[in-house]
Amino acid sequence: MRFATRAIHAGQPPDPSTGAVIPPVYQTSTYAQDDVAVHKGYDYSRADNPTRWALEQCLASLEGARFALAWSSGMSAIDAVLRLLTAGDHVLVSDDAYGGTHRLLRQVVARFGVESSAADLTRLDAVREAMRPNTRMILMESPTNPLLKVVDIAALAGMAHQAGALAVVDNTFLSPYFQTPLALGADIVVHSATKYLGGHSDVVGGALMTGDEALFQRAKFIQKSVGSVPGPWDAWLVLRGVKTLALRMERHQSNAFRVARFLESHPAVTRVYYPGLPSHPQHALASRQARGHGGMVSFRLAGGLAKARDMLTRTRIFTLAESLGGVESLIEHPALMTAASVPKDELDRLGVTDDLVRLSVGIEDPDDLVEDLTQALA
Ligand SMILES: *Cc1c(COP(=O)(O)O)cnc(C)c1O
């Protein structure tokens, strides 16, 4: 079966007891047993829940993985991946990884003796230099946030494996519809299901996928021990969102192309970042390793912070808000909002400066989106 079909059917046969076409929300914490050691596959909902199980089967199928686990948030999935490590291990992470990932590594995980350092993962020579004898994981995103840099997933996975390290990809920005890192050699994929997988800005969730049974068993054990599970309603909402992932991603992408081309031709815009544009420095790599370029567009404005602030408060359809990947278009200022947990000098070095604006292009009518940006930039 192909992607759009699997998104609707994988893990979701009609309910055997009632014929319900849609998996029910199993709002239960516990399950009646036949005997002290005999149950119907479920004993307690921190360990397993049928609604969550349906979501996990579907997510595994979409990512081309043998196994998937659903989490209470993207951060809890990333936290679980880091708990695969031991004190003394080192993680190499993208210098412009999601701000919450940097915060987790530096302010939480570091206290338990897991070291981390950041490098520009688009430069393989910089990666080679940054690898340490105790590097046990390369944690990458592609495209990155907010500058949409594209890294060579297959090359980085190769370098990780050569060093005896795991290659982990946060695939939130493209979703499995456009990119499947396990097929490029990654060991583990994580997602903020809050974004494109859920797709409607109405749920916080996470996901982890892998083809490796031992890694899956360890992550499952961590989840059961730590308890970072999504409730059945949240699992159900993500499963409902995923059914339209293929349709939504196509529209996010065509709208993003339209917006990116409009911005590129606008006199107030000095630079546009979208991997689908031939002007993007890694356009060729992006086109080779992914099947599409997604719905995120960043750009720089002549006039710096004053102009950016002015624009951010003048859009009528683009809502000024953090997050991304929902049906509605959002606009935000990375330096002051989503990347604000990263120190200012680091942001300056990365190019996340006051003139930078990020869009999550939704699936509204593209004419309305371009008209809205036109009036906000006037
Ligand atoms: C939002 C996001 C996260 C964190 O996910 P939550 O669901 O908010 O916990 C991690 N990685 C990326 C790329 C994100 O965009």
Side-chain angles (χ1 to χ4, degrees), residues 72-76 78 97-98 100-101 141 143 145 170-173 190-195 203-206 323-324 358:
S72 55
S73 69
M75 288 322 303
S76 64
I78 294 169
Y98 180 69
T101 300
E141 297 173 19
N145 176 31
D170 180 336
N171 201 27
T172 299
F173 267 39
V190 289
H191 281 274
S192 170
T194 315
K195 315 296 169 53
V203 63
V204 170
S323 198
L324 61 111
R358 189 190 80 179

Side-chain angles (χ1 to χ4, degrees), residues 218-240:
R218 284 167 64 199
K220 173 98 187 151
F221 180 78
I222 288 166
Q223 182 174 55
K224 185 175 145 175
S225 305
V226 172
S228 40
V229 293
W233 270 107
D234 286 357
W236 190 91
L237 278 169
V238 176
L239 187 56
R240 177 187 206 173

Side-chain angles (χ1 to χ4, degrees), residues 6-203:
R6 284 182 278 131
I8 292 165
H9 295 288
Q12 311 163 65
D15 182 57
S17 58
T18 63
V21 166
I22 296 300
V25 179
Y26 284 91
Q27 191 71 42
T28 186
S29 60
T30 191
Y31 306 82
Q33 301 194 179
D34 301 327
D35 197 346
V36 288
V38 183
H39 56 70
K40 297 180 167 64
Y42 298 93
D43 58 1
Y44 187 62
S45 278
R46 171 155 40 75
D48 286 293
N49 173 280
T51 312
R52 197 166 97 221
W53 188 86
L55 172 63
E56 291 171 341
Q57 298 315 298
C58 186
L59 292 177
S61 169
L62 296 184
E63 203 56 78
R66 286 174 63 208
F67 308 98
L69 289 166
W71 302 80
S72 55
S73 69
M75 288 322 303
S76 64
I78 294 169
D79 175 62
V81 163
L82 297 174
R83 285 173 197 261
L84 294 168
L85 300 171
T86 304
D89 291 349
H90 169 253
V91 185
L92 185 61
V93 64
S94 324
D95 54 6
D96 61 347
Y98 180 69
T101 300
H102 282 301
R103 183 173 54 204
L104 176 64
L105 282 166
R106 293 175 192 184
Q107 296 184 43
V108 181
V109 174
R111 290 195 288 110
F112 296 92
V114 172
E115 302 166 21
S116 67
S117 63
D120 179 355
L121 301 187
T122 64
R123 289 181 38 227
L124 297 182
D125 57 328
V127 174
R128 222 164 273 123
E129 263 171 48
M131 296 286 279
R132 300 178 186 173
N134 57 337
T135 301
R136 291 291 166 268
M137 184 178 290
I138 300 182
L139 180 52
M140 62 193 100
E141 297 173 19
S142 189
T144 62
N145 176 31
L147 287 173
L148 301 161
K149 294 197 287 191
V150 175
V151 307
D152 189 333
I153 294 172
L156 288 170
M159 289 170 76
H161 294 158
Q162 216 167 13
L166 292 170
V168 179
V169 179
D170 180 336
N171 201 27
T172 299
F173 267 39
L174 285 184
S175 89
Y177 182 68
F178 282 137
Q179 179 167 277
T180 32
L182 298 178
L184 298 167
D187 302 290
I188 296 174
V189 166
V190 289
H191 281 274
S192 170
T194 315
K195 315 296 169 53
Y196 289 105
L197 294 177
H200 294 73
S201 304
D202 54 9
V203 63

